[in-house]
Amino acid sequence: MKNFLPRTFWATFLLVIALFALHHLPPLGFKSGMVKTWFGLPADPDEITDMRRVDLLADIRVKSQTEETEDDAIDPELVESLKKAEEMKALAEQMVFPDSVPVDSAINALAIQVDTVSGDTIRLDSAQIMRRKTRIVESMFKDTVQVPHGVIEIEDFDDFSNMGIDRFYEALAHVKDRPVRIGFFGDSFIEGDIFTGSLRSLLQKQWGGKGVGYVEIAPETAGFRTTVKHRHKGWSMHQSMKKKSFVSKKQGLACHYFTGGAGAWVEGTATKLLFGNNNFDNTSFFYYCKGPSSIRLVANAKDTVRFNNGGADSLISFSYANDSLFKAHWMVSKCDSNAVFYGMAMDGKNGIILDNLSMRGHSGSQISSIPLSYLKDMHKVRDYDLIVIQFGLNVASKFGKDFSAYQKSMEKVVRHLHEAYPNAGFLILSVGDRAYRNESGEMSTMPGVNNLSLYQKNVAVQCKVSYWNMLEAMKQEGGVYSMAKSSPSLANMDYTHINFRGGSVMAQKLFDALKAGKEHYDRKLNFVKSHEAKTDNSVSDDSAVLP
């Protein structure tokens, strides 16, 4: 009988050597989204999957302090950029002009400082002058955002760009006269109106408003969404993650579009279930059709209205108003074979309107591929006062450190949307918490998630918009792992997604931050007005002596 013991020994020895070699390799990640795309599976090209590090001694080895900090190392250039942004904010807060100095003199002084640094001559138009006047007077405003204990402040990096959260606060002054619209772009974190449903309810309770806003024709989440009873028939959905049937130049707000012929219909019924409300004032329908088309609306299951169009190269929008709407049933009666459909809307005639624009599996970078012509068409019929951008779940990886390419792609998204919606303020939300089991066997936040949130903050810094740290807000609740283990649970057991209860908690945190920011804005605005009145009186006094 042969002795196979030496072979077994050598096989075991080679296996141990191989495992030790793998142990010394750094954690690896690869773009699994690209692999899925090759095989025709739905996936975001930016999706990254980590390969866990091999550690033979994980159960007995004590992780050193050096190793603990190694995974959390951040790009020095990113740290420097954020540091400079904080220094500039602090410098702006310290730039105080005496009350006796006329605002125009302060503008000249500030312009000289800027020219000295840049070496260029800056000529301000009237709009820039007005913004700079406001900024300089604000610098005299000693008050800061006063937030209750535990409320995470919205950070505003707007530096004369007029693209920050103040645009939203400014619009709220007109909320009783017209709708104040919010376009909320996000990934599966908000699908089904999780988070946005309760946020909409809080905002409408504070500032008025009805309806759930924009509703896509036939999304995957139609039966999952609780804030509207959504039914549809006869449609085909086209999305960027299913390339075979997708034409990029046809995509709409959430990177989707729908096709259907005569007889296709979509219906929305108001519901108070989970943050909804039971009526709305206006309903609208959006589509493209170059040939003649006819659309029929049945409102409240009894009133029938027909809309006809002879054909157009731009977006077609039909609307119907009634103060007591609770159901809208839109049906295609006639269209050509190339017609493209997008969605319907259920709105109030004033107050807050929040459009949930969820994009399952997306990184957010695809938004820059939405045709600018389409966005500008939507801007004409459905302008936004605030655009919220929440992504990152499909980008974050366990040990990811360098998200600079993703940062650049999201800066492009902000610029793209700003070109289409020049009147909107922008608010960047950080990625939410994602947990993993670390080498010590404990559940903790992925180091890559912490890193990604800093790059997202830098998007706000570079684009001069506003930022809210949702990751920190979730950590206040103990992180997504604790939220999932709480009773009742606030998150799913994938330790990535929150549920409706968790969405309500997070919405309250963002609402509290928005409310605190609005109160600060009002105090600041009152200060500016009082200072301008004081300056005007000083200038009109012939005896006034300028320093």
Side-chain angles (χ1 to χ4, degrees), residues 380-392:
K380 293 175 184 177
V381 297
R382 197 170 187 81
D383 196 10
Y384 288 129
D385 297 287
L386 177 65
I387 292 177
V388 183
I389 300 175
Q390 172 278 313
F391 288 96

Side-chain angles (χ1 to χ4, degrees), residues 188-204:
S188 55
F189 196 85
I190 66 166
E191 73 174 8
D193 241 359
I194 292 177
F195 182 51
T196 50
S198 46
L199 178 62
R200 182 189 301 108
S201 179
L202 290 166
L203 291 170
Q204 290 181 343

Side-chain angles (χ1 to χ4, degrees), residues 311-345:
D313 292 328
S314 58
L315 184 74
I316 301 170
S317 171
F318 292 136
S319 296
Y320 175 79
N322 187 318
D323 290 343
S324 57
L325 287 171
F326 63 86
K327 179 184 289 188
H329 181 102
W330 292 91
M331 175 180 283
V332 178
S333 299
K334 178 183 178 181
C335 69
D336 64 28
S337 59
N338 295 316
V340 178
F341 300 86
Y342 296 103
M344 60 178 290

Side-chain angles (χ1 to χ4, degrees), residues 120-166:
D120 299 327
T121 300
I122 298 177
R123 296 183 180 180
L124 306 178
D125 59 29
S126 58
Q128 290 173 319
I129 290 174
M130 183 57 66
R131 291 176 195 166
R132 188 154 295 191
K133 279 186 178 183
T134 303
R135 285 292 186 183
I136 291 173
V137 176
E138 287 173 5
S139 70
M140 307 173 193
F141 184 53
K142 310 297 193 301
D143 188 24
T144 57
V145 178
Q146 298 175 3
V147 295
H149 177 70
V151 175
I152 296 173
E153 179 185 344
I154 293 173
E155 300 180 68
D156 188 14
F157 298 100
D158 183 350
D159 179 17
F160 302 127
S161 70
N162 209 22
M163 290 173 58
I165 192 68
D166 279 4

Side-chain angles (χ1 to χ4, degrees), residues 163 168 181-185 357 383-389 414 417-418 420-422 424-428 466:
M163 290 173 58
F168 174 62
R181 290 194 182 92
I182 302 172
F184 204 116
F185 293 83
L357 304 170
D383 196 10
Y384 288 129
D385 297 287
L386 177 65
I387 292 177
V388 183
I389 300 175
V414 174
L417 290 174
H418 175 62
Y421 297 92
F426 286 81
L427 176 61
I428 307 293
S466 302

Side-chain angles (χ1 to χ4, degrees), residues 61-111:
R61 187 175 62 85
V62 177
K63 193 174 183 182
S64 68
Q65 184 65 32
T66 302
E67 287 175 300
E68 288 177 0
T69 57
E70 182 181 359
D71 286 342
D72 298 330
I74 306 295
D75 180 3
E77 292 185 5
L78 172 65
V79 174
E80 185 65 22
S81 174
L82 296 177
K83 182 180 178 182
K84 286 183 178 179
E86 296 296 337
E87 290 174 351
M88 290 298 292
K89 283 179 63 180
L91 182 62
E93 292 171 359
Q94 296 169 6
M95 188 182 297
V96 178
F97 294 92
D99 289 353
S100 59
V101 178
V103 174
D104 291 338
S105 299
I107 290 175
N108 293 334
L110 183 60

